[in-house]
Amino acid sequence: MVSIPGNYPGFELADKVYYENTTDWEKILEIAKQEKIDGIVTAGTDVAVITIGKVCDEMGLCGLSYEGAQNATNKILMKEVYEKYGVRTAKYRRIAFEDPDMFAKIDELTLPLIFKAVDSSGSRGITRVDSREEFADAIASAKKYTRQKHFIVEEFIEGEEFGAQAFVYQGKVQFILPHGDYVFKGDTGVPIGHYVPYNLAPDIIEDAKVQLEKAIEAMKLDNCAINADFILKDGKTYVLELGGRSGATCLAESVSIYYGFDYYEKILLAALGEEELSFESDQCVPNASHLLMSSRDGVIRSITNENQENPGIYEIQFDYGVGDEVHKFAIGPHRIGHVVTMGESLEEAQELLWNTMGKIHIDVEEKAD
């Protein structure tokens, strides 16, 4: 396992740990060659995707290519290939931070807008803007979270946000699982939970699948998990963006529950180039998940879980304990933990989710100045 130090469960499971930054592809490639690895993979984060692409190309491993990784982590490249391949997406402009005509170019778009750092993840550097007076703060936020000299501005599509998990292997899309999203409304919508199945009309589901397959082809994604973000407007699916890895916020767990196989195991086997890898399933188990969050910055003083053992409660996980410092929730990494439930129907899984969360009490005390 390779990672910066942190509260990551993989450390306890790994035979060997290298404390390195996963964005340092040259160092990771050096380690990979030294260890003669058979595969490389990540889950739930974009920061290591470029490194995976570099290592896979250099060592001939089964996984995301460097070209695909670039398209999946740079929002400008992503938009450009969407435009080229006819993927339905929001109108946008690439803007240089030092461009003297910046505001004139932005004014070519219709408010409200979304300002985005092109290489960020976890909703960092992404701001919704409803008036020209908000431009300066949104630009400053994008600049704070990017290593690039430009950012992207796109029109905000008013509609219903949802997503999909998928897997593409040896040039074939193995499955597409649309899911509903619970969204935290901050500067922009931040997913804080998900549920499946997502009940849409068959023609809308088919349209979403068509747009997803177009986007996968455009981005040249193969041998990897796919995390897709969509907006539904007037019965049509607009692609916001795709990631070349499994989704965070319990989405891998959701896939596992729904289809009845260990999705993490499938991801690992694909990275190893398993020839007889099947994603077929004859079950569809409804499930729902939600993050545990704090409404203020501070230190956890107590955690109380009053839930009794229940076969419908798939998982309750706390990422932090008593004495740990946590943040007021604004972006995904501010999570404190999560709850995942399942049921014979979606309504049953969701009702159990809310009941379970209602029996968890996390006391966060503000830090003294």
Side-chain angles (χ1 to χ4, degrees), residues 160-163 179-185 188-198 249-251 254 287-291 293 329 339-341 346-354 357:
E160 183 177 353
E161 185 171 338
F162 73 104
H179 53 77
D181 299 337
Y182 304 120
V183 180
F184 175 83
K185 298 297 184 181
T188 184
V190 180
I192 53 174
H194 306 280
Y195 56 89
V196 293
Y198 189 57
T249 325
C250 309
L251 280 166
S254 184
N287 62 84
S289 62
H290 203 285
L291 296 184
M293 308 172 294
F329 188 87
V339 176
V340 185
T341 58
L346 177 58
E347 292 73 20
E348 181 179 305
Q350 289 177 315
E351 182 179 3
L352 180 57
L353 178 67
W354 309 133
M357 292 182 64

Side-chain angles (χ1 to χ4, degrees), residues 115-136:
F115 285 55
K116 294 181 177 181
V118 301
D119 53 352
S120 67
S121 63
S123 302
R124 299 176 182 89
I126 301 178
T127 308
R128 172 173 168 160
V129 171
D130 293 285
S131 69
R132 211 174 192 275
E133 289 70 30
E134 300 174 58
F135 284 8

Side-chain angles (χ1 to χ4, degrees), residues 39-44 62-63 165-167 169 175 223-226 244-247 251-253 255-256 261-274 277 279:
I40 181 170
V41 74
T42 191
C62 182
Q165 297 302 293
F167 204 96
Y169 192 58
F175 71 84
N223 301 320
C224 64
I226 304 291
R245 43 78 181 177
S246 62
L251 280 166
E253 287 78 5
V255 173
S256 294
F261 54 64
D262 187 331
Y263 190 36
Y264 287 115
E265 181 182 40
K266 299 286 188 184
I267 292 171
L268 290 170
L269 289 173
L272 294 171
E274 182 75 20
L277 185 58
F279 290 84

Side-chain angles (χ1 to χ4, degrees), residues 82 85-90 207-208 211 214 235-240:
Y82 287 173
Y85 281 78
V87 179
R88 193 185 298 127
T89 192
D207 180 59
Q211 294 304 316
K214 275 188 177 182
K236 294 182 178 180
T237 298
Y238 290 78
V239 179
L240 294 180

